[in-house]
Amino acid sequence: MLLRDAHNRIIRDLRVSLTDRCNFRCFYCLPHGEPPLARKETILTFEEIVEICEIFVSLGIEKIRLTGGEPLLRKDIEVLVEKLARLKAQVSRFEVQSSETENPKSKTQNPKLVDLALTTNGFSLKERAENLKNAGLDRVTISLDSLKRKNFQRITGVDKLQETLEAIEAAKKARLTPIKINAVVVRGYNDDEVLDFVCFAREQNISMRFIEFMPLGAGHDWDRNSVVSGREIFAKINRVFPLQLKEKSRGAETAWKYRFVDGARGEIGIVAPVTEMFCGACSRIRLTADGQIRTCLFSTTEHNLRDVLRSNSTRPEIVEFIKDVVMKKEARHKINDANFMQPVRTMSFIGG
Ligand code: SAM
Ligand code: SF4
């Protein structure tokens, strides 16, 4: 049985926010260190997260990304990673209905987790990369919005460029690969650094992803003029370092991926949710730290899986709840509509 929504999209990718706390103060996300919204008793325990993930994997989820807030602020995350990594061995399929299987492989195999990843600002990764790898983490995405110390501080609110660069080194050493670097490009902040990032990707042989600024910050300071479009980013790079699309279709991926025509190492990814909506192929669903399912980054409603789980529901009841929620997944976001309303919860809560 696969998770399919009302628009015939199959859900394969679960983003799990482990905390809505963060030690950075990125101006586009959590500028003033707003007090965490989730209370201690409402935060899912590791046991609950593992139970939920196991059910999701039995329903066809293949990728799990741990995020937040800053996921490495969650104590003993290595223990959670170790438990989740066990889902890479097969888990029992729940209520097999072979007529519904899409993937030919799943007709003969039980479902299993294929990819366990983590998105982090790099905090404490230097010391923990090796242990995370040993616990079963496959790869990391590290956020890096500037290569200049002062500008990094201006954007993130903290003076930690050096630590973030060391985190990237440590991730490479621990083989948490392929490593992706996320940079949110905002006009007037770091749009003049795009080519520096490209050189960095070529030197370091990493995948550099440029992301359009989205209206998800606690400061509510998004405006359309600050968005540097994916098209503009592409043109800027392509003029100096000609790019070639890696694949004609990006499937359910958010990024268009490019290689360098001159054969240099590294990869460029451009994620343009504002100017080139990719909702039609979305395969993602999100779980907040306090156990709410969000069917879209921009959802204005949430679905309380935590209470279902804590009310001694049977497994079939939990599965039914999840299937019903998935059916309600929005066809598309409405950033470009006149009546767009920013979700109350910010990216740090939803889990990027
Ligand atoms: N704290 C971790 C980090 O920064 O990598 C994980 C959580 S963070 C919310 C996940 C990703 O969302 C980061 O790469 C961040 O840059 C991105 N992000 C946050 N707010 C955003 C916004 N308003 N527009 C676009 N991307 C955003
Ligand atoms: Fe923290 Fe990540 Fe948000 Fe920056 S983007 S404030 S590091 S959660």
Side-chain angles (χ1 to χ4, degrees):
M1 177 175 43
L2 296 174
L3 284 174
R4 194 192 294 272
D5 74 7
H7 311 282
N8 217 16
R9 295 171 297 192
I10 294 175
I11 308 304
R12 292 284 193 194
D13 184 341
L14 174 67
R15 311 264 164 127
V16 181
S17 171
L18 297 184
T19 174
D20 60 343
R21 290 160 198 267
C22 190
N23 51 346
F24 279 29
R25 297 286 172 264
C26 302
F27 80 89
Y28 53 71
C29 180
L30 204 61
H32 311 299
E34 288 67 12
L37 290 169
R39 295 190 311 280
K40 192 159 185 264
E41 62 276 15
T42 63
I43 296 277
L44 295 179
T45 64
F46 283 176
E47 287 68 29
E48 288 171 327
I49 294 171
V50 172
E51 185 178 351
I52 291 172
C53 287
E54 202 236 313
I55 294 174
F56 268 106
V57 171
S58 79
L59 295 170
I61 289 289
E62 293 181 337
K63 293 182 179 181
I64 294 180
R65 176 173 293 280
L66 303 176
T67 179
E70 177 43 49
L72 294 183
L73 285 179
R74 187 91 188 242
K75 198 164 165 272
D76 297 329
I77 185 187
E78 294 80 358
V79 174
L80 175 67
V81 167
E82 203 251 318
K83 288 183 199 289
L84 291 177
R86 289 188 203 146
L87 303 178
K88 287 192 263 182
Q90 292 178 354
V91 302
S92 311
R93 183 186 294 284
F94 189 76
E95 282 180 16
V96 182
Q97 293 179 7
S98 54
S99 60
E100 283 190 31
T101 53
E102 288 285 317
N103 177 352
K105 278 192 198 153
S106 52
K107 286 189 178 145
T108 51
Q109 291 176 0
N110 277 334
K112 60 182 178 183
L113 180 64
V114 176
D115 184 28
L116 182 58
L118 172 91
T119 305
T120 173
N121 60 28
F123 162 75
S124 78
L125 189 62
K126 186 178 166 194
E127 296 77 34
R128 297 164 79 181
E130 204 64 50
N131 285 347
L132 284 164
K133 181 72 188 180
N134 291 339
L137 187 70
D138 291 312
R139 61 195 179 89
V140 287
T141 296
I142 300 174
S143 299
L144 175 69
D145 291 323
S146 174
L147 288 162
K148 297 178 186 155
R149 184 174 163 197
K150 283 274 167 254
N151 205 31
F152 185 97
Q153 187 166 8
R154 178 181 175 224
I155 295 173
T156 64
V158 292
D159 184 11
K160 295 223 178 288
L161 172 61
Q162 192 51 36
E163 286 82 345
T164 309
L165 294 175
E166 287 171 11
I168 295 170
E169 268 314 303
K172 275 172 121 179
K173 208 161 151 223
R175 302 171 324 284
L176 286 165
T177 50
I179 297 170
K180 288 183 189 157
I181 304 297
N182 277 356
V184 181
V185 186
V186 185
R187 199 173 305 286
Y189 281 87
N190 57 359
D191 50 329
D192 58 339
E193 288 194 53
V194 167
L195 290 178
D196 295 345
F197 278 123
V198 174
C199 294
F200 183 72
R202 289 161 65 94
E203 280 158 28
Q204 298 279 326
N205 188 19
I206 47 174
S207 175
M208 185 72 225
R209 293 156 67 98
F210 296 102
I211 304 173
E212 285 181 351
F213 180 25
M214 292 182 276
L216 285 167
H220 290 258
D221 50 4
W222 183 84
D223 82 87
R224 208 162 285 280
N225 297 329
S226 308
V227 177
V228 182
S229 71
R231 196 173 291 230
E232 184 178 333
I233 295 167
F234 173 85
K236 209 172 233 192
I237 302 171
N238 195 49
R239 259 198 305 272
V240 182
F241 300 107
L243 296 173
Q244 185 181 47
L245 203 55
K246 278 188 141 175
E247 280 161 29
K248 288 215 169 68
S249 157
R250 66 184 155 183
E253 296 273 326
T254 53
W256 285 111
K257 292 188 212 148
Y258 300 90
R259 63 169 71 86
F260 295 106
V261 171
D262 66 7
R265 301 176 316 161
E267 178 192 83
I268 298 299
I270 297 184
V271 185
V274 180
T275 63
E276 293 171 52
M277 188 193 290
F278 41 72
C279 305
C282 182
S283 66
R284 285 168 289 285
I285 194 157
R286 290 178 157 80
L287 181 69
T288 67
D290 63 352
Q292 309 298 307
I293 301 182
R294 291 183 64 96
T295 46
C296 172
L297 263 180
F298 296 95
S299 294
T300 46
T301 47
E302 296 180 340
H303 308 272
N304 194 337
L305 180 59
R306 182 195 68 235
D307 280 359
V308 175
L309 197 72
R310 289 185 183 173
S311 62
N312 292 327
S313 303
T314 63
R315 196 148 155 151
E317 285 165 348
I318 300 172
V319 168
E320 268 322 297
F321 179 82
I322 293 174
K323 279 169 56 186
D324 281 354
V325 167
V326 165
M327 282 308 258
K328 294 180 187 137
K329 185 169 161 67
E330 299 80 344
R332 62 175 181 89
H333 70 61
K334 299 201 170 135
I335 303 176
N336 299 313
D337 292 10
N339 60 351
F340 171 72
M341 270 170 48
Q342 180 173 329
V344 178
R345 307 235 241 187
T346 64
M347 191 70 142
S348 62
F349 195 93
I350 300 166

